[in-house]
Amino acid sequence: MFATTIRFTLPADTDWERLRQIAIRRAFDLYRTMPGLRAKAFIFAPERSEYGGNYVWETQDDAEAFLRSDAWRTAISMYGEPRLERAEICAYIESGDLVFPPDYDLMPSASGAERESPSPSPAG
């Protein structure tokens, strides 16, 4: 899985209530059926004049396809160039369920100490 975090800086006179309505409509019309999109949280921070989203994608290719899409070009034309961050997701909690790539080993060692700490052991 792959994450994209996007933040647009909006003008001080932004109508935040209207923007909420636009976000809800876009969520319903566009993002519910977007290929490869597992989750999206619409983010509002009027005190910082920021609007954006936290996205969880099935693959990095899905995320990159979105950044080449008409939907993305429309967002940029409406709000300007955003701050954008990309990262791999190694584990994700969805409605209380742990979701992780199928090739990850949940129990890499029988040693309890290694399960308790994700830090690498010093070379000896």
Side-chain angles (χ1 to χ4, degrees):
M1 287 181 293
F2 197 75
T4 308
T5 300
I6 296 168
R7 297 291 183 275
F8 294 96
T9 300
L10 301 182
D13 64 348
T14 296
D15 181 342
W16 290 94
E17 188 53 41
R18 181 171 179 275
L19 187 57
R20 280 182 182 88
Q21 295 304 314
I22 291 168
I24 292 166
R25 175 55 50 197
R26 285 179 65 84
F28 184 81
D29 290 343
L30 177 67
Y31 291 100
R32 284 185 320 132
T33 59
M34 186 163 286
L37 183 62
R38 185 174 194 96
K40 178 181 180 186
F42 288 82
I43 303 301
F44 287 77
E47 70 281 359
R48 292 190 312 268
S49 295
E50 287 185 347
Y51 165 68
N54 296 331
Y55 300 74
V56 176
W57 300 96
E58 290 293 336
T59 68
Q60 184 174 354
D61 288 342
D62 293 326
E64 297 301 325
F66 171 68
L67 296 175
R68 293 187 303 271
S69 72
D70 288 339
W72 178 245
R73 284 189 285 281
T74 297
I76 294 218
S77 72
M78 291 171 65
Y79 307 117
E81 286 291 332
R83 228 174 41 250
L84 187 122
E85 298 174 11
R86 300 171 173 104
E88 176 187 352
I89 296 174
C90 65
Y92 174 68
I93 305 296
E94 186 174 275
S95 299
D97 293 327
L98 175 61
V99 180
F100 57 92
D103 57 339
Y104 281 25
D105 182 2
L106 282 180
M107 303 295 283
S109 169
S111 167
E114 288 181 16
R115 281 196 309 268
E116 292 172 14
S117 173
S119 305
S121 301

